[in-house]
């Protein structure tokens, strides 16, 4: 049995039904993006499958787990511990699913806010999480789903732009990482455009 099957069976016992459905959507969407961009399909699927593995952990437990494993927690994360399911997920993937691939662990750790200068896998997971077929709430999804297969960087920028607007409207606290990542990709596009003028 391939390892992905093994992870899938284990994960299914640990997360809620709707989260499991979302997770499979992310896994296959990440696989499609890997195909489009010539990335390792199994790595993309593993990251997609495990990215929300810490989602149902109580806030206290996520904080405890990160502290125990010396994963730094920011003030924003202490105030909004749901953000921590990304970092805690990377710890669980390492400790409980024996994932040793640092690229996969990093993609899981940054999947909610992004980080400047993301790797290909970071972007694939970040985008797959947003566009998987079960998602229907975000605005501009049809456009973003098409964009995803044309440019990873432009899609990341667009998702962050929409996320920042959404958070502003519902007055959610914004993690500086989300803002910094958006600025990073916007500046890169502007620099590229200047070169083309
Ligand atoms: O775990 P999922 O729901 O599948 O997806 P996710 O880990 O990307 O989390 C999505 C939520 O995270 C979405 O409601 C927007 C929110 N989010 C992203 N960046 C920030 C943020 N929430 C806050 N408060 N601050 C941020 O910077
Ligand atoms: Fe998540
Ligand atoms: Fe998710």
């Amino acid at each position: 049995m391939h390892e992905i099957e093994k992870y899938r069976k284990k994960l299914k016992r640990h997360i809620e039904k709707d989260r499991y459905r979302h997770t499979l959507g992310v896994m296959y969407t990440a696989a499609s993006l890997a195909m489009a961009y010539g990335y390792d399909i199994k790595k993309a699927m593993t990251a997609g499958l495990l990215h929300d593995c810490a989602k149902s952990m109580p806030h206290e437990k996520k904080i405890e787990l990160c502290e125990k494993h010396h994963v730094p927690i920011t003030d924003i994360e202490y105030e909004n511990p749901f953000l921590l399911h990304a970092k805690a997920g990377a710890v669980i993937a390492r400790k409980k699913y024996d994932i040793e691939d640092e690229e996969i662990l990093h993609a899981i750790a940054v999947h909610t806010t992004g980080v400047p200068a993301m790797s290909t896998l970071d972007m694939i997971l970040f985008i797959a999480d947003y566009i998987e077929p079960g998602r229907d709430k975000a605005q501009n999804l049809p456009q973003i789903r098409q964009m995803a297969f044309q440019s990873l960087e432009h899609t990341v920028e667009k998702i962050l732009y929409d996320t920042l607007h959404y958070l502003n409207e519902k007055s959610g606290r914004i993690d500086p990482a989300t803002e910094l990542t958006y600025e990073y990709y916007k500046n890169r596009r502007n620099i590229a455009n200047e070169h083309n003028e």
Side-chain angles (χ1 to χ4, degrees):
M1 182 169 59
H2 188 269
E3 275 158 340
I4 289 177
E5 264 308 281
K6 197 176 69 191
Y7 304 146
R8 188 185 63 74
K9 290 205 170 119
K10 178 165 175 170
L11 184 78
K12 194 172 184 205
R13 290 190 279 118
H14 285 98
I15 56 174
E16 288 155 25
K17 211 170 175 188
D18 279 351
R19 183 59 40 184
Y20 178 67
R21 217 174 282 141
H22 160 69
T23 277
L24 292 185
V26 176
M27 177 173 83
Y28 287 116
T29 305
S32 307
L33 289 168
M35 291 175 203
Y37 292 99
Y39 189 80
D40 185 314
I41 295 174
K42 282 189 187 135
K43 278 175 65 155
M45 289 179 80
T46 306
L49 183 61
L50 296 178
H51 81 284
D52 275 339
C53 68
K55 192 83 180 186
S56 58
M57 262 183 134
H59 290 337
E60 281 308 308
K61 281 252 181 291
K62 283 183 294 228
I63 292 172
E64 235 171 69
L65 183 79
C66 288
E67 285 175 345
K68 182 171 159 215
H69 293 281
H70 310 290
V71 175
I73 303 174
T74 64
D75 292 345
I76 288 273
E77 287 166 340
Y78 275 115
E79 287 166 31
N80 302 271
F82 93 89
L83 290 168
L84 267 185
H85 78 274
K87 286 179 180 174
V91 174
I92 300 281
R94 190 195 293 276
K95 300 286 168 194
K96 303 274 188 218
Y97 293 84
D98 299 322
I99 305 293
E100 290 174 346
D101 186 313
E102 295 296 332
E103 269 184 17
I104 295 175
L105 296 170
H106 186 264
I108 295 174
V110 303
H111 85 261
T112 301
T113 60
V115 74
M118 285 194 265
S119 72
T120 299
L121 182 58
D122 294 343
M123 292 191 281
I124 286 177
L125 179 59
F126 184 83
I127 294 169
D129 192 17
Y130 199 85
I131 67 168
E132 64 94 357
R135 293 278 206 208
D136 58 4
K137 300 234 162 37
Q139 51 171 345
N140 304 320
L141 268 176
Q143 181 205 350
I144 293 174
R145 284 179 171 134
Q146 271 195 313
M147 230 180 148
F149 292 87
Q150 287 147 14
S151 164
L152 291 175
E153 293 207 4
H154 292 171
T155 309
V156 165
E157 182 194 337
K158 175 66 180 151
I159 291 172
L160 288 162
Y161 178 87
D162 283 359
T163 300
L164 287 169
H165 273 257
Y166 164 78
L167 289 171
N168 267 327
E169 262 166 40
K170 62 159 218 163
S171 47
R173 276 293 297 277
I174 291 171
D175 189 319
T178 308
E179 214 138 37
L180 279 171
T181 309
Y182 169 64
E183 292 296 327
Y184 175 88
Y185 285 99
K186 188 182 71 176
N187 289 336
R188 269 178 73 86
R189 187 171 45 77
N190 287 338
I191 290 164
N193 286 345
E194 277 165 27
H195 277 280
N196 289 334
E197 268 169 16

